[in-house]
Amino acid sequence: MSPLEPFGARLRRVMDERGPLCVGIDPHASLLSEWGLNDDVAGLERFSRTVVAAVADRVAVMKPQSAFFERFGSRGVAVLERVVQEAREAGTLVVMDAKRGDIGSTMAGYAEAFLSKDAPLFSDALTVSPYLGYGSLSPAVALARESGAGLFVLALTSNPEGAEVQHAVRGDGRTVGATMLAHLAAENSGEEPLGSFGAVVGATVGDLSSYDLDINGPLLAPGVGAQGATAADLPSVFGAAVRNVVPNVSRGVLRHGPDAGALRAAAERFAGEIRDAVAGG
């Protein structure tokens, strides 16, 4: 099967058409309960496919959190396969939030599971962890290039524990997080209109003025909505790179279910606020 157009080019186009909003699909037990669903495979499927049906035809990106499907075993993964297929058929790009990271043949196996065009879980992009060394991601980088997919590399996450690794200073005086951004800038060098290798940078991480976020690639930004960041915060947090930011909203949209109209209205409200903030940034 021939490769897709590079992920960065597809992402730029759909962001320009629909706005840059990413809606997370996080079917954890508390949300299932809020929807009046049982914490079982049937509840998982009802929740996830309702979200896809409601918003996949109008947002740029959807981001299923693999863990919440994997916890139900093979039947949960089967639901995830259907969710990915239905979301992509509706024209949204799917970023699989699996945060895989390993070495050698094991990393290659993870890459094949999510980035091989013939895989049941093939996604437009995959979140990955580089903390066995950026070079450990080489199998995923190579397969992403081959298939037209992308990666989002954990760089500056907003969880408090992340700072002890990501803000650590290397012997060359550069932080580990800055080193990851530099690797991604190199991967994306010369790519137009946007590279396919992005970074995960939390919208609530704090002052980013000392970091060069101009990696010629997308910046997946969790934290908008329930975690405290707002659309209006994005220009001040991301500066000149704000046009390449893909803000993720999960609970801020999902809590409006199970009513499909309410889910759509919430997604459209966030999309409009984000579009306006980015345009004015």
Side-chain angles (χ1 to χ4, degrees), residues 153-179:
V153 177
L154 302 178
L156 294 168
T157 60
S158 54
N159 62 304
E161 303 88 350
E164 68 183 54
V165 175
Q166 297 158 20
H167 295 176
V169 179
R170 292 160 29 103
D172 62 2
R174 188 164 58 179
T175 67
V176 173
T179 299

Side-chain angles (χ1 to χ4, degrees), residues 54-80:
V55 306
D57 64 345
R58 62 199 62 215
V59 301
V61 180
M62 299 197 80
K63 183 175 69 65
Q65 171 48 258
S66 181
F68 294 124
F69 296 84
E70 293 178 45
R71 70 193 183 100
F72 291 105
S74 61
R75 294 174 65 202
V77 173
V79 173
L80 181 57

Side-chain angles (χ1 to χ4, degrees), residues 75-127:
R75 294 174 65 202
V77 173
V79 173
L80 181 57
E81 291 176 4
R82 289 192 287 276
V83 165
V84 170
Q85 179 181 358
E86 291 172 5
R88 298 190 73 240
E89 287 175 349
T92 193
L93 300 182
V94 172
V95 174
M96 182 62 69
D97 195 355
K99 298 183 179 71
R100 296 301 196 251
D102 215 307
I103 59 172
S105 59
T106 311
M107 189 67 235
Y110 285 137
E112 289 167 10
F114 297 105
L115 301 173
S116 176
K117 283 294 299 298
D118 296 324
L121 285 170
F122 173 74
S123 303
D124 297 286
L126 172 68
T127 60

